[in-house]
Amino acid sequence: MGMSEIHIRPARTSDVHGIKELVAPMAAERILITKDTVTYFESIQEFVVAENGAGDLVGCGALHVMWEDLAEVRTLATSPAARGHGVGTRMLRELLERAGRLGVNRVFCLTFEVEFFAAHGFEVMANQETIPPEVFAELLRSHDEGVAEFLDLARVKPNTLGNTRMIRSLTGEG
């Protein structure tokens, strides 16, 4: 599978079932969290997908804005055939570029793939990321699990055991 055969594009509602198929084996291994179909439809505008020359989905990833200067990379997944061919890297670059266009300065992820994200400028987060108290109070009002993961709240610990919280600054990048 050559890189030139892969096209990265914004996801469409017709991609939801393909996204679920990409995520399913990784969710079974507890690498990704499975989501209800309705959740994928509600967040489809956050996703990019990678498709091969035949039009098959071989990757997906999402960027979820959490606050004025903070977003999370979510559900970054590739098919087994696409792994090791730069598909994840291309999708991550697209998501980081999207974050920059939106004015986000920091991008967070919760991952088992520490080496992959470290190779793309992410660093392991300190136990308590510095957040102004008023922003912390606002973030606590969110029902989004990703926000709870970023804040390292105890209620998400059973779902995130073994994952590493990582962050990347986009400041000074174009």
Side-chain angles (χ1 to χ4, degrees):
M1 175 181 300
M3 288 279 283
S4 61
E5 299 173 13
I6 302 299
H7 175 67
I8 309 294
R9 63 168 174 78
R12 300 184 288 255
T13 56
S14 59
D15 296 321
V16 165
H17 297 291
I19 290 169
K20 284 190 65 145
E21 287 176 19
L22 285 167
V23 171
M26 298 178 88
E29 294 178 42
R30 301 184 50 89
I31 294 169
L32 291 177
I33 296 173
T34 190
K35 297 175 184 163
D36 294 325
T37 303
V38 68
T39 303
Y40 288 111
F41 280 113
E42 289 174 341
S43 60
I44 197 65
Q45 70 280 358
E46 298 179 351
F47 277 85
V48 297
V49 294
E51 59 184 11
N52 64 18
D56 302 317
L57 290 190
V58 296
C60 65
L63 181 76
H64 179 77
V65 175
M66 298 166 66
W67 196 250
E68 178 180 8
D69 67 340
L70 181 66
E72 178 186 9
V73 169
R74 295 181 169 180
T75 320
L76 190 62
T78 58
S79 69
R83 290 193 190 115
H85 294 281
V87 175
T89 293
R90 287 186 55 195
M91 288 187 302
L92 180 58
R93 280 189 193 135
E94 176 61 31
L95 295 170
L96 294 174
E97 288 172 13
R98 183 181 280 189
R101 290 190 303 269
L102 291 170
V104 170
N105 296 328
R106 297 178 299 156
V107 178
F108 158 78
C109 69
L110 183 69
T111 186
F112 287 106
E113 301 296 333
V114 174
E115 289 181 27
F116 172 81
F117 282 96
H120 293 89
F122 284 77
E123 297 177 348
V124 175
M125 287 175 57
N127 281 344
Q128 188 59 34
E129 183 73 11
T130 305
I131 304 169
E134 62 276 5
V135 173
F136 187 87
E138 288 290 332
L139 289 172
L140 280 176
R141 295 180 179 153
S142 175
H143 298 287
D144 186 271
E145 291 299 304
V147 172
E149 292 161 355
F150 174 77
L151 296 175
D152 204 23
L153 300 180
R155 70 178 172 82
V156 296
K157 294 288 187 199
N159 295 328
T160 61
L161 291 178
N163 285 356
T164 300
R165 297 163 65 237
M166 300 183 79
I167 197 157
R168 175 178 167 175
S169 173
L170 301 181
T171 306
E173 296 181 5

